[in-house]
Amino acid sequence: MTKITVAKGDGIGPEIMDATLDIILAAGAQIEIEEIEVGEKVYLAGNTAGIAKESWDIIRRNKVFLKAPITTPQGGGYKSLNVTTRKFLGLYSNVRPCMSLHPFVKTKHPHMDVVIVRENEEDLYAGIEHQQTDEVVQCLKLISRPGCEKIVRYAFEYARQYDRKKVTCFTKDNIMKQTDGLFHQVFDEIAVEYPDIENEHWIIDIGAAKMADTPEAFDVIVMPNLYGDVLSDVAAQIAGSVGLAGSANIGESCAMFEAIHGSAPRRAGQNMANPSGLLQGAIMMLNHLGQTEVAEKVQNAWLRTIEDGIHTYDIYKEGVSKQKVGTKEFAAAVIANLGQQPQQLTAVSYAKGKPLQLPRYQRKKPAKKELMGIDLFVHWPGTNPDQLANLMKELEVEEVKLKMITNRGIKVWPEGFEETFCTDHWRCRYQSQQGKFIKHDTITLLINAMKHEIDVVKTENLYAFDGKPAFSLGQGQ
Protein backbone atom coordinates (compact mmCIF):
# COMPACT_ATOMS: atom_id res chain seq x y z
CA MET A 1 0.00 0.00 0.00
CA THR A 2 1.45 3.36 -1.08
CA LYS A 3 0.37 6.65 0.45
CA ILE A 4 -0.18 9.39 -2.13
CA THR A 5 -1.12 13.06 -1.82
CA VAL A 6 -4.36 14.11 -3.53
CA ALA A 7 -5.64 17.64 -4.23
CA LYS A 8 -9.17 17.90 -5.62
CA GLY A 9 -8.61 21.43 -6.91
CA ASP A 10 -11.20 23.90 -8.17
CA GLY A 11 -14.04 24.08 -10.69
CA ILE A 12 -14.60 20.62 -12.13
CA GLY A 13 -11.62 19.32 -10.15
CA PRO A 14 -13.51 17.62 -7.27
CA GLU A 15 -15.88 15.83 -9.67
CA ILE A 16 -13.22 14.44 -11.98
CA MET A 17 -10.96 13.52 -9.05
CA ASP A 18 -13.77 11.57 -7.36
CA ALA A 19 -14.48 9.77 -10.64
CA THR A 20 -10.80 8.99 -11.19
CA LEU A 21 -10.27 7.65 -7.68
CA ASP A 22 -13.42 5.53 -7.92
CA ILE A 23 -12.10 3.90 -11.10
CA ILE A 24 -8.54 3.15 -9.98
CA LEU A 25 -9.63 1.89 -6.56
CA ALA A 26 -12.22 -0.38 -8.18
CA ALA A 27 -9.40 -1.72 -10.38
CA GLY A 28 -7.39 -2.64 -7.29
CA ALA A 29 -4.96 0.28 -6.91
CA GLN A 30 -2.94 -0.22 -3.73
CA ILE A 31 -2.97 3.37 -2.55
CA GLU A 32 -3.76 5.27 0.63
CA ILE A 33 -4.99 8.83 0.09
CA GLU A 34 -3.89 11.88 2.07
CA GLU A 35 -5.82 14.93 0.87
CA ILE A 36 -4.60 18.53 0.90
CA GLU A 37 -6.23 21.85 -0.03
CA VAL A 38 -4.60 23.86 -2.82
CA GLY A 39 -5.81 26.46 -5.28
CA GLU A 40 -8.36 29.23 -5.23
CA LYS A 41 -9.42 29.04 -1.57
CA VAL A 42 -5.82 29.06 -0.41
CA TYR A 43 -4.95 31.94 -2.75
CA LEU A 44 -7.88 34.02 -1.56
CA ALA A 45 -7.00 33.32 2.06
CA GLY A 46 -3.86 35.37 1.47
CA ASN A 47 -1.33 32.77 0.33
CA THR A 48 0.06 33.98 -3.01
CA ALA A 49 1.53 30.52 -3.75
CA GLY A 50 -1.85 28.76 -3.46
CA ILE A 51 -0.47 26.13 -1.11
CA ALA A 52 0.24 26.08 2.64
CA LYS A 53 3.59 25.07 4.16
CA GLU A 54 2.02 22.02 5.82
CA SER A 55 0.82 20.83 2.41
CA TRP A 56 4.36 21.06 1.02
CA ASP A 57 5.48 18.85 3.90
CA ILE A 58 2.82 16.25 3.04
CA ILE A 59 3.73 16.23 -0.68
CA ARG A 60 7.43 15.86 0.09
CA ARG A 61 6.79 13.07 2.58
CA ASN A 62 4.53 11.02 0.29
CA LYS A 63 6.59 11.69 -2.87
CA VAL A 64 3.62 11.13 -5.24
CA PHE A 65 1.04 13.88 -5.90
CA LEU A 66 -2.19 13.45 -7.91
CA LYS A 67 -3.58 16.91 -8.59
CA ALA A 68 -6.83 18.07 -10.16
CA PRO A 69 -6.94 21.41 -12.05
CA ILE A 70 -6.92 24.58 -9.97
CA THR A 71 -7.98 28.18 -10.54
CA THR A 72 -5.37 30.91 -10.14
CA PRO A 73 -7.11 34.26 -9.40
CA GLN A 74 -6.36 37.07 -11.84
CA GLY A 75 -4.03 39.87 -10.67
CA GLY A 76 -2.83 40.26 -7.11
CA GLY A 77 0.63 38.77 -7.69
CA TYR A 78 -0.61 35.16 -7.46
CA LYS A 79 1.96 32.59 -8.59
CA SER A 80 1.30 29.55 -10.78
CA LEU A 81 1.17 26.54 -8.47
CA ASN A 82 2.07 24.21 -11.35
CA VAL A 83 5.28 26.08 -12.16
CA THR A 84 6.17 26.45 -8.48
CA THR A 85 5.62 22.74 -7.78
CA ARG A 86 7.70 21.64 -10.75
CA LYS A 87 10.62 23.83 -9.79
CA PHE A 88 10.59 23.38 -6.01
CA LEU A 89 10.34 19.60 -6.23
CA GLY A 90 12.80 19.23 -9.11
CA LEU A 91 10.20 17.71 -11.46
CA TYR A 92 12.45 17.98 -14.48
CA SER A 93 10.51 15.76 -16.90
CA ASN A 94 7.03 16.51 -18.23
CA VAL A 95 5.59 13.53 -20.11
CA ARG A 96 2.46 13.83 -22.27
CA PRO A 97 1.26 10.88 -24.35
CA CYS A 98 -0.98 11.98 -27.25
CA MET A 99 -2.84 9.14 -28.97
CA SER A 100 -5.71 9.34 -31.42
CA LEU A 101 -8.89 7.39 -30.67
CA HIS A 102 -10.10 7.16 -34.26
CA PRO A 103 -12.86 6.63 -35.29
CA PHE A 104 -14.49 7.23 -31.91
CA VAL A 105 -13.04 10.72 -31.33
CA LYS A 106 -12.76 13.06 -34.30
CA THR A 107 -9.21 13.62 -35.59
CA LYS A 108 -7.47 14.21 -38.90
CA HIS A 109 -4.67 11.89 -37.76
CA PRO A 110 -6.11 8.40 -37.13
CA HIS A 111 -2.71 6.73 -36.62
CA MET A 112 -1.18 9.26 -34.22
CA ASP A 113 0.60 7.88 -31.14
CA VAL A 114 3.20 10.38 -29.95
CA VAL A 115 4.77 11.00 -26.54
CA ILE A 116 6.10 14.50 -25.84
CA VAL A 117 8.92 14.61 -23.27
CA ARG A 118 9.44 18.22 -22.24
CA GLU A 119 12.23 19.63 -20.06
CA ASN A 120 10.40 21.22 -17.16
CA GLU A 121 12.71 23.45 -15.09
CA GLU A 122 14.87 25.78 -17.17
CA ASP A 123 15.07 27.41 -20.62
CA LEU A 124 13.16 30.73 -20.80
CA TYR A 125 10.94 29.44 -18.00
CA ALA A 126 13.65 30.35 -15.51
CA GLY A 127 11.66 33.60 -15.58
CA ILE A 128 14.71 35.88 -15.33
CA GLU A 129 13.75 39.12 -17.10
CA HIS A 130 14.97 42.71 -16.98
CA GLN A 131 14.16 45.97 -18.68
CA GLN A 132 17.53 47.43 -19.60
CA THR A 133 16.74 50.47 -21.73
CA ASP A 134 13.68 52.48 -22.72
CA GLU A 135 13.19 50.25 -25.72
CA VAL A 136 14.58 46.82 -24.81
CA VAL A 137 13.77 44.11 -22.27
CA GLN A 138 15.58 40.79 -22.00
CA CYS A 139 14.66 37.27 -20.91
CA LEU A 140 17.53 34.92 -20.09
CA LYS A 141 17.44 31.49 -21.72
CA LEU A 142 19.26 29.12 -19.37
CA ILE A 143 20.16 25.65 -20.61
CA SER A 144 22.34 23.47 -18.38
CA ARG A 145 24.22 20.25 -19.11
CA PRO A 146 22.56 18.46 -16.17
CA GLY A 147 19.14 19.64 -17.37
CA CYS A 148 19.86 18.34 -20.88
CA GLU A 149 21.32 15.03 -19.74
CA LYS A 150 18.47 14.25 -17.35
CA ILE A 151 15.66 14.95 -19.81
CA VAL A 152 17.31 13.29 -22.81
CA ARG A 153 18.18 10.18 -20.83
CA TYR A 154 14.63 10.07 -19.48
CA ALA A 155 13.28 10.14 -23.06
CA PHE A 156 15.44 7.18 -24.11
CA GLU A 157 14.68 5.21 -20.94
CA TYR A 158 10.96 5.89 -21.42
CA ALA A 159 11.20 4.68 -25.02
CA ARG A 160 12.93 1.50 -23.90
CA GLN A 161 10.49 0.90 -21.01
CA TYR A 162 7.40 1.30 -23.22
CA ASP A 163 8.81 -0.43 -26.29
CA ARG A 164 9.01 2.73 -28.38
CA LYS A 165 11.22 2.57 -31.47
CA LYS A 166 12.45 6.12 -32.02
CA VAL A 167 13.37 9.28 -30.10
CA THR A 168 13.39 12.62 -31.95
CA CYS A 169 15.01 15.81 -30.67
CA PHE A 170 13.62 19.25 -31.60
CA THR A 171 15.81 22.36 -31.17
CA LYS A 172 16.61 25.64 -32.92
CA ASP A 173 20.40 25.23 -32.78
CA ASN A 174 20.93 26.71 -36.23
CA ILE A 175 20.25 30.06 -34.51
CA MET A 176 20.85 29.48 -30.77
CA LYS A 177 24.12 27.64 -31.22
CA GLN A 178 25.17 27.75 -27.55
CA THR A 179 21.91 26.97 -25.70
CA ASP A 180 19.96 24.77 -28.11
CA GLY A 181 23.34 23.65 -29.44
CA LEU A 182 24.13 22.13 -26.03
CA PHE A 183 20.76 20.33 -25.95
CA HIS A 184 21.41 18.84 -29.40
CA GLN A 185 25.00 17.92 -28.49
CA VAL A 186 23.91 16.09 -25.34
CA PHE A 187 21.17 14.31 -27.31
CA ASP A 188 23.77 13.00 -29.77
CA GLU A 189 26.07 11.91 -26.94
CA ILE A 190 23.37 9.97 -25.09
CA ALA A 191 21.75 8.49 -28.21
CA VAL A 192 24.93 6.44 -28.77
CA GLU A 193 24.20 4.59 -25.51
CA TYR A 194 20.88 3.31 -26.93
CA PRO A 195 21.76 1.55 -30.21
CA ASP A 196 18.45 -0.36 -30.08
CA ILE A 197 16.46 2.89 -30.43
CA GLU A 198 16.45 4.99 -33.59
CA ASN A 199 17.30 8.66 -33.09
CA GLU A 200 16.97 11.82 -35.18
CA HIS A 201 17.08 15.60 -34.84
CA TRP A 202 14.80 18.20 -36.43
CA ILE A 203 14.95 21.99 -36.38
CA ILE A 204 11.89 22.97 -34.32
CA ASP A 205 10.04 24.97 -36.98
CA ILE A 206 10.02 22.31 -39.70
CA GLY A 207 9.72 19.58 -37.04
CA ALA A 208 6.60 21.21 -35.62
CA ALA A 209 5.13 21.55 -39.11
CA LYS A 210 5.86 17.89 -39.80
CA MET A 211 4.32 16.83 -36.47
CA ALA A 212 1.14 18.81 -37.17
CA ASP A 213 0.89 17.36 -40.67
CA THR A 214 2.22 13.81 -40.24
CA PRO A 215 2.39 12.96 -36.53
CA GLU A 216 2.61 9.24 -37.30
CA ALA A 217 6.21 9.90 -38.40
CA PHE A 218 7.16 10.43 -34.74
CA ASP A 219 7.23 8.26 -31.65
CA VAL A 220 8.89 9.99 -28.66
CA ILE A 221 9.87 13.67 -29.06
CA VAL A 222 12.18 15.35 -26.54
CA MET A 223 12.75 19.11 -26.42
CA PRO A 224 13.50 22.12 -24.24
CA ASN A 225 10.83 23.71 -22.06
CA LEU A 226 9.19 26.36 -24.25
CA TYR A 227 8.97 24.24 -27.40
CA GLY A 228 7.65 21.34 -25.35
CA ASP A 229 4.98 23.49 -23.70
CA VAL A 230 3.63 24.66 -27.05
CA LEU A 231 3.89 21.41 -28.97
CA SER A 232 2.48 19.18 -26.24
CA ASP A 233 -0.78 21.15 -26.42
CA VAL A 234 -0.71 21.09 -30.22
CA ALA A 235 -0.14 17.33 -30.16
CA ALA A 236 -2.97 16.76 -27.68
CA GLN A 237 -5.38 18.86 -29.74
CA ILE A 238 -4.64 17.25 -33.10
CA ALA A 239 -4.89 13.81 -31.49
CA GLY A 240 -8.51 14.62 -30.68
CA SER A 241 -8.89 16.82 -27.61
CA VAL A 242 -6.78 18.55 -24.99
CA GLY A 243 -9.44 17.39 -22.54
CA LEU A 244 -8.37 13.75 -22.99
CA ALA A 245 -4.68 14.23 -22.21
CA GLY A 246 -2.88 13.50 -18.96
CA SER A 247 0.51 14.63 -17.79
CA ALA A 248 3.29 13.25 -15.60
CA ASN A 249 5.90 15.47 -13.96
CA ILE A 250 8.82 13.33 -12.84
CA GLY A 251 11.74 14.22 -10.57
CA GLU A 252 14.53 12.29 -8.89
CA SER A 253 12.53 11.88 -5.67
CA CYS A 254 8.99 13.26 -6.24
CA ALA A 255 6.39 13.08 -9.01
CA MET A 256 3.14 14.91 -9.82
CA PHE A 257 0.35 13.65 -12.08
CA GLU A 258 -2.48 15.73 -13.55
CA ALA A 259 -4.74 16.52 -16.48
CA ILE A 260 -3.41 19.18 -18.85
CA HIS A 261 -6.70 21.11 -19.07
CA GLY A 262 -7.93 23.84 -16.74
CA SER A 263 -10.54 23.94 -13.99
CA ALA A 264 -13.47 24.98 -16.27
CA PRO A 265 -15.43 26.74 -13.50
CA ARG A 266 -18.45 27.24 -15.81
CA ARG A 267 -18.96 23.47 -15.87
CA ALA A 268 -18.44 22.92 -12.14
CA GLY A 269 -21.07 21.00 -10.19
CA GLN A 270 -23.07 19.98 -13.27
CA ASN A 271 -21.90 16.35 -13.58
CA MET A 272 -20.77 17.10 -17.16
CA ALA A 273 -16.97 17.09 -17.10
CA ASN A 274 -14.90 14.41 -18.79
CA PRO A 275 -12.55 12.80 -16.22
CA SER A 276 -10.39 11.19 -18.93
CA GLY A 277 -7.46 13.64 -18.74
CA LEU A 278 -7.01 13.18 -15.00
CA LEU A 279 -7.60 9.43 -15.35
CA GLN A 280 -4.76 9.30 -17.89
CA GLY A 281 -2.55 11.09 -15.36
CA ALA A 282 -3.57 8.54 -12.71
CA ILE A 283 -2.70 5.65 -15.06
CA MET A 284 0.79 7.13 -15.47
CA MET A 285 0.97 7.41 -11.68
CA LEU A 286 0.15 3.70 -11.29
CA ASN A 287 2.89 2.81 -13.77
CA HIS A 288 5.29 5.08 -11.86
CA LEU A 289 4.42 3.19 -8.66
CA GLY A 290 5.05 -0.18 -10.32
CA GLN A 291 1.32 -1.08 -10.18
CA THR A 292 1.40 -1.82 -13.90
CA GLU A 293 -1.26 -4.54 -13.92
CA VAL A 294 -3.78 -2.12 -12.41
CA ALA A 295 -2.73 0.62 -14.85
CA GLU A 296 -3.16 -1.79 -17.76
CA LYS A 297 -6.61 -2.87 -16.54
CA VAL A 298 -7.80 0.74 -16.20
CA GLN A 299 -6.44 1.87 -19.56
CA ASN A 300 -7.98 -1.04 -21.45
CA ALA A 301 -11.33 -0.52 -19.69
CA TRP A 302 -11.22 3.17 -20.60
CA LEU A 303 -10.45 2.34 -24.24
CA ARG A 304 -13.33 -0.15 -24.29
CA THR A 305 -15.68 2.50 -22.88
CA ILE A 306 -14.65 4.94 -25.62
CA GLU A 307 -15.25 2.17 -28.19
CA ASP A 308 -18.67 1.44 -26.70
CA GLY A 309 -19.68 5.00 -27.58
CA ILE A 310 -20.31 6.00 -23.97
CA HIS A 311 -19.12 9.60 -24.16
CA THR A 312 -19.30 12.81 -22.17
CA TYR A 313 -20.62 15.93 -23.88
CA ASP A 314 -17.21 17.21 -25.05
CA ILE A 315 -16.55 14.26 -27.36
CA TYR A 316 -20.15 13.21 -28.05
CA LYS A 317 -20.95 13.08 -31.77
CA GLU A 318 -24.19 11.95 -33.41
CA GLY A 319 -23.69 8.84 -35.52
CA VAL A 320 -20.54 7.82 -33.63
CA SER A 321 -21.43 8.08 -29.96
CA LYS A 322 -24.18 5.85 -28.58
CA GLN A 323 -24.88 7.47 -25.21
CA LYS A 324 -24.19 10.92 -23.77
CA VAL A 325 -23.34 10.56 -20.09
CA GLY A 326 -22.22 12.64 -17.15
CA THR A 327 -19.02 12.41 -15.12
CA LYS A 328 -20.34 9.82 -12.65
CA GLU A 329 -21.96 7.70 -15.32
CA PHE A 330 -18.79 7.68 -17.42
CA ALA A 331 -16.80 6.50 -14.40
CA ALA A 332 -19.37 3.78 -13.74
CA ALA A 333 -19.08 2.61 -17.36
CA VAL A 334 -15.29 2.35 -17.10
CA ILE A 335 -15.63 0.39 -13.85
CA ALA A 336 -18.11 -1.96 -15.52
CA ASN A 337 -15.55 -2.60 -18.28
CA LEU A 338 -12.67 -3.47 -15.93
CA GLY A 339 -11.21 -6.74 -17.15
CA GLN A 340 -12.39 -6.07 -20.73
CA GLN A 341 -10.16 -5.42 -23.74
CA PRO A 342 -10.84 -2.93 -26.56
CA GLN A 343 -11.87 -4.59 -29.82
CA GLN A 344 -10.79 -1.97 -32.37
CA LEU A 345 -8.38 0.29 -30.51
CA THR A 346 -5.04 -1.24 -29.56
CA ALA A 347 -5.01 -2.80 -26.10
CA VAL A 348 -2.09 -1.79 -23.87
CA SER A 349 0.36 -4.11 -22.18
CA TYR A 350 2.82 -2.59 -19.72
CA ALA A 351 6.08 -4.10 -18.45
CA LYS A 352 5.07 -5.84 -15.25
CA GLY A 353 6.03 -4.11 -12.02
CA LYS A 354 8.97 -2.16 -13.42
CA PRO A 355 8.88 1.53 -12.49
CA LEU A 356 11.28 3.52 -14.64
CA GLN A 357 14.59 4.08 -12.85
CA LEU A 358 17.24 6.60 -13.88
CA PRO A 359 20.79 7.11 -12.65
CA ARG A 360 21.51 10.37 -10.85
CA TYR A 361 23.41 13.03 -12.77
CA GLN A 362 27.16 12.79 -12.34
CA ARG A 363 29.07 16.04 -12.65
CA LYS A 364 31.97 15.83 -15.07
CA LYS A 365 35.52 17.11 -14.62
CA PRO A 366 35.57 20.91 -15.15
CA ALA A 367 36.96 22.17 -18.45
CA LYS A 368 39.88 24.60 -18.62
CA LYS A 369 38.20 28.02 -18.54
CA GLU A 370 39.90 31.11 -20.01
CA LEU A 371 38.65 34.71 -20.04
CA MET A 372 38.90 36.10 -23.58
CA GLY A 373 37.12 39.45 -23.34
CA ILE A 374 33.92 41.16 -22.31
CA ASP A 375 30.69 42.46 -23.79
CA LEU A 376 29.45 45.76 -22.37
CA PHE A 377 25.74 46.30 -22.96
CA VAL A 378 25.10 50.00 -23.23
CA HIS A 379 21.99 52.20 -23.09
CA TRP A 380 22.67 54.90 -25.68
CA PRO A 381 19.88 56.94 -27.35
CA GLY A 382 21.73 57.69 -30.59
CA THR A 383 21.28 55.90 -33.89
CA ASN A 384 24.69 56.13 -35.57
CA PRO A 385 26.95 53.16 -34.70
CA ASP A 386 30.06 54.99 -35.90
CA GLN A 387 29.36 57.78 -33.43
CA LEU A 388 28.94 55.26 -30.59
CA ALA A 389 32.16 53.49 -31.62
CA ASN A 390 34.07 56.76 -31.26
CA LEU A 391 32.69 57.14 -27.72
CA MET A 392 33.41 53.53 -26.77
CA LYS A 393 37.00 53.71 -28.03
CA GLU A 394 37.61 56.23 -25.28
CA LEU A 395 37.24 53.35 -22.81
CA GLU A 396 40.03 51.21 -24.30
CA VAL A 397 42.75 49.93 -21.94
CA GLU A 398 46.25 49.46 -23.41
CA GLU A 399 45.93 46.24 -25.45
CA VAL A 400 42.18 45.88 -24.78
CA LYS A 401 40.37 47.28 -27.82
CA LEU A 402 36.81 47.67 -29.08
CA LYS A 403 36.25 44.88 -31.61
CA MET A 404 32.57 44.99 -32.50
CA ILE A 405 29.22 46.62 -31.81
CA THR A 406 25.91 44.82 -32.33
CA ASN A 407 22.30 45.91 -31.98
CA ARG A 408 19.75 43.18 -31.26
CA GLY A 409 22.42 40.68 -32.30
CA ILE A 410 23.18 42.26 -35.69
CA LYS A 411 26.69 43.59 -36.27
CA VAL A 412 26.47 47.32 -36.95
CA TRP A 413 30.15 48.26 -36.47
CA PRO A 414 32.56 47.98 -38.13
CA GLU A 415 31.21 47.73 -41.66
CA GLY A 416 27.54 47.91 -40.75
CA PHE A 417 24.69 48.75 -43.13
CA GLU A 418 22.81 52.05 -43.04
CA GLU A 419 19.56 50.12 -43.54
CA THR A 420 19.86 48.21 -40.24
CA PHE A 421 17.36 49.55 -37.70
CA CYS A 422 18.91 50.18 -34.29
CA THR A 423 17.28 50.44 -30.86
CA ASP A 424 18.85 52.12 -27.82
CA HIS A 425 20.44 48.83 -26.62
CA TRP A 426 23.98 48.15 -27.85
CA ARG A 427 26.47 45.32 -27.27
CA CYS A 428 30.08 46.52 -27.34
CA ARG A 429 32.76 43.81 -27.40
CA TYR A 430 36.26 44.31 -26.04
CA GLN A 431 39.11 41.87 -26.50
CA SER A 432 42.86 42.00 -26.09
CA GLN A 433 45.13 42.36 -29.07
CA GLN A 434 47.41 39.76 -27.44
CA GLY A 435 44.60 37.34 -26.58
CA LYS A 436 45.00 37.89 -22.83
CA PHE A 437 42.22 39.49 -20.83
CA ILE A 438 42.02 39.77 -17.04
CA LYS A 439 39.09 40.65 -14.82
CA HIS A 440 40.81 43.84 -13.73
CA ASP A 441 40.44 45.03 -17.33
CA THR A 442 36.68 44.86 -16.82
CA ILE A 443 36.90 47.11 -13.77
CA THR A 444 39.00 49.61 -15.69
CA LEU A 445 36.54 49.62 -18.60
CA LEU A 446 33.63 50.26 -16.23
CA ILE A 447 35.48 53.07 -14.43
CA ASN A 448 36.25 54.67 -17.80
CA ALA A 449 32.57 54.31 -18.78
CA MET A 450 31.55 56.18 -15.64
CA LYS A 451 34.04 58.94 -16.40
CA HIS A 452 32.56 59.37 -19.88
CA GLU A 453 28.95 59.10 -18.57
CA ILE A 454 28.22 55.97 -20.61
CA ASP A 455 25.37 53.90 -19.16
CA VAL A 456 26.52 50.26 -18.98
CA VAL A 457 23.41 48.21 -18.13
CA LYS A 458 25.03 44.77 -18.15
CA THR A 459 28.35 43.00 -18.64
CA GLU A 460 28.97 39.49 -19.95
CA ASN A 461 32.34 37.76 -19.74
CA LEU A 462 33.56 35.94 -22.86
CA TYR A 463 35.05 32.54 -22.05
CA ALA A 464 36.73 29.69 -23.85
CA PHE A 465 36.34 26.17 -22.45
CA ASP A 466 39.19 23.78 -23.27
CA GLY A 467 40.34 26.29 -25.88
CA LYS A 468 36.98 26.54 -27.67
CA PRO A 469 35.31 29.99 -27.67
CA ALA A 470 31.91 29.66 -25.98
CA PHE A 471 30.07 32.82 -26.98
CA SER A 472 28.08 34.05 -29.95
CA LEU A 473 29.34 36.37 -32.64
CA GLY A 474 27.18 39.11 -34.09
CA GLN A 475 25.01 38.08 -37.02
CA GLY A 476 26.83 39.20 -40.08
CA GLN A 477 30.25 38.29 -38.66
Side-chain angles (χ1 to χ4, degrees):
M1 190 72 68
T2 302
K3 183 179 281 190
I4 68 167
T5 306
V6 166
K8 293 190 174 180
D10 303 310
I12 61 172
E15 298 165 79
I16 64 173
M17 180 61 80
D18 287 343
T20 295
L21 293 175
D22 285 349
I23 293 168
I24 65 174
L25 289 171
Q30 298 297 299
I31 57 172
E32 181 182 343
I33 294 164
E34 188 167 8
E35 188 175 341
I36 62 172
E37 182 81 53
V38 300
E40 191 170 32
K41 289 181 183 176
V42 183
Y43 281 121
L44 297 178
N47 189 319
T48 57
I51 182 171
K53 181 182 181 303
E54 313 84 74
S55 296
W56 279 125
D57 294 338
I58 293 170
I59 293 171
R60 295 172 68 196
R61 182 172 67 243
N62 294 336
K63 308 295 186 189
V64 174
F65 183 25
L66 181 62
K67 184 183 74 62
I70 66 166
T71 299
T72 303
Q74 296 295 310
Y78 299 113
K79 301 173 185 175
S80 166
L81 179 59
N82 275 358
V83 173
T84 302
T85 304
R86 290 166 184 164
K87 289 188 175 183
F88 277 14
L89 299 181
L91 308 182
Y92 65 88
S93 179
N94 181 251
V95 185
R96 294 189 182 184
C98 301
M99 179 183 68
S100 69
L101 299 169
H102 176 81
F104 307 101
V105 177
K106 184 179 179 181
T107 176
K108 297 177 182 177
H109 305 287
H111 305 295
M112 180 177 180
D113 186 5
V114 174
V115 178
I116 306 293
V117 179
R118 163 196 172 196
E119 197 287 319
N120 225 9
E121 295 181 287
E122 47 188 41
D123 193 9
L124 292 166
Y125 284 55
I128 303 173
E129 298 183 289
H130 307 89
Q131 180 165 355
Q132 296 186 322
T133 70
D134 291 322
E135 296 179 339
V136 175
V137 294
Q138 74 164 14
C139 179
L140 293 181
K141 180 181 174 84
L142 298 178
I143 300 288
S144 71
R145 175 167 277 276
C148 295
E149 285 198 14
K150 289 195 294 183
I151 195 64
V152 170
R153 191 172 298 283
Y154 188 94
F156 278 98
E157 288 290 332
Y158 182 97
R160 180 173 283 174
Q161 175 83 359
Y162 291 95
D163 197 28
R164 298 275 176 164
K165 307 303 182 187
K166 180 171 69 173
V167 178
T168 304
C169 175
F170 282 179
T171 72
K172 189 67 176 174
D173 65 335
N174 58 328
I175 302 298
M176 288 167 281
K177 301 179 188 300
Q178 297 291 316
T179 49
D180 282 27
L182 176 61
F183 197 97
H184 186 180
Q185 176 189 333
V186 169
F187 177 82
D188 287 345
E189 291 171 3
I190 290 178
V192 175
E193 301 177 29
Y194 296 85
D196 53 317
I197 299 171
E198 185 183 349
N199 71 85
E200 63 180 4
H201 172 267
W202 289 68
I203 297 298
I204 180 67
D205 42 16
I206 188 61
K210 179 73 172 176
M211 189 199 77
D213 178 68
T214 319
E216 59 270 20
F218 300 103
D219 198 347
V220 175
I221 308 176
V222 62
M223 51 193 136
N225 203 335
L226 177 61
Y227 312 144
D229 191 7
V230 175
L231 288 191
S232 56
D233 278 4
V234 171
Q237 185 62 35
I238 66 175
S241 170
V242 170
L244 299 177
S247 172
N249 299 272
I250 309 294
E252 291 183 349
S253 60
C254 296
M256 177 174 70
F257 302 87
E258 58 189 344
I260 72 171
H261 59 73
S263 59
R266 289 183 300 171
R267 301 296 185 191
Q270 300 173 44
N271 190 39
M272 292 180 65
N274 189 341
S276 295
L278 187 58
L279 182 63
Q280 290 302 303
I283 290 167
M284 286 190 275
M285 177 189 74
L286 292 169
N287 276 322
H288 176 75
L289 293 172
Q291 298 184 32
T292 49
E293 291 186 13
V294 181
E296 190 176 300
K297 185 189 295 186
V298 173
Q299 180 72 345
N300 285 328
W302 177 75
L303 291 170
R304 181 60 179 266
T305 305
I306 297 295
E307 273 188 355
D308 289 346
I310 302 172
H311 297 164
T312 48
Y313 81 97
D314 56 315
I315 60 172
Y316 183 86
K317 185 180 179 183
E318 291 287 348
V320 176
S321 305
K322 294 184 173 60
Q323 185 180 359
K324 185 187 291 186
V325 295
T327 311
K328 293 177 182 178
E329 293 75 20
F330 182 83
V334 176
I335 291 170
N337 278 329
L338 289 171
Q340 301 295 311
Q341 298 273 320
Q343 301 302 300
Q344 291 178 252
L345 298 170
T346 303
V348 300
S349 178
Y350 301 130
K352 304 301 181 191
K354 280 180 61 181
L356 196 152
Q357 298 290 333
L358 289 174
R360 285 184 174 268
Y361 173 77
Q362 298 292 321
R363 182 163 288 166
K364 295 174 174 57
K365 180 183 176 181
K368 181 183 178 184
K369 182 178 175 182
E370 300 172 274
L371 184 61
M372 299 183 67
I374 191 167
D375 283 341
L376 301 185
F377 291 81
V378 172
H379 182 185
W380 184 66
T383 58
N384 186 331
D386 293 332
Q387 185 181 350
L388 177 60
N390 290 333
L391 292 174
M392 300 306 292
K393 285 180 180 180
E394 296 294 323
L395 278 56
E396 294 178 340
V397 184
E398 297 178 353
E399 295 298 320
V400 176
K401 305 296 183 183
L402 179 68
K403 294 293 185 180
M404 176 182 71
I405 299 176
T406 69
N407 194 287
R408 294 187 296 172
I410 305 295
K411 191 186 79 166
V412 293
W413 182 91
E415 300 176 352
F417 290 0
E418 290 181 3
E419 293 84 356
T420 304
F421 180 83
C422 295
T423 69
D424 59 358
H425 185 274
W426 310 79
R427 176 177 60 160
C428 303
R429 174 162 295 174
Y430 291 85
Q431 290 181 278
S432 170
Q433 302 279 73
Q434 305 301 320
K436 293 181 179 180
F437 191 94
I438 59 175
K439 289 189 176 179
H440 191 271
D441 292 332
T442 297
I443 297 172
T444 306
L445 287 168
L446 291 175
I447 290 172
N448 290 346
M450 290 176 63
K451 290 178 179 176
H452 289 82
E453 298 184 338
I454 293 171
D455 184 10
V456 178
V457 296
K458 176 188 174 184
T459 66
E460 197 71 51
N461 290 343
L462 309 176
Y463 289 108
F465 289 83
D466 286 339
K468 181 181 178 181
F471 47 90
S472 61
L473 299 173
Q475 294 179 32
Q477 277 288 95

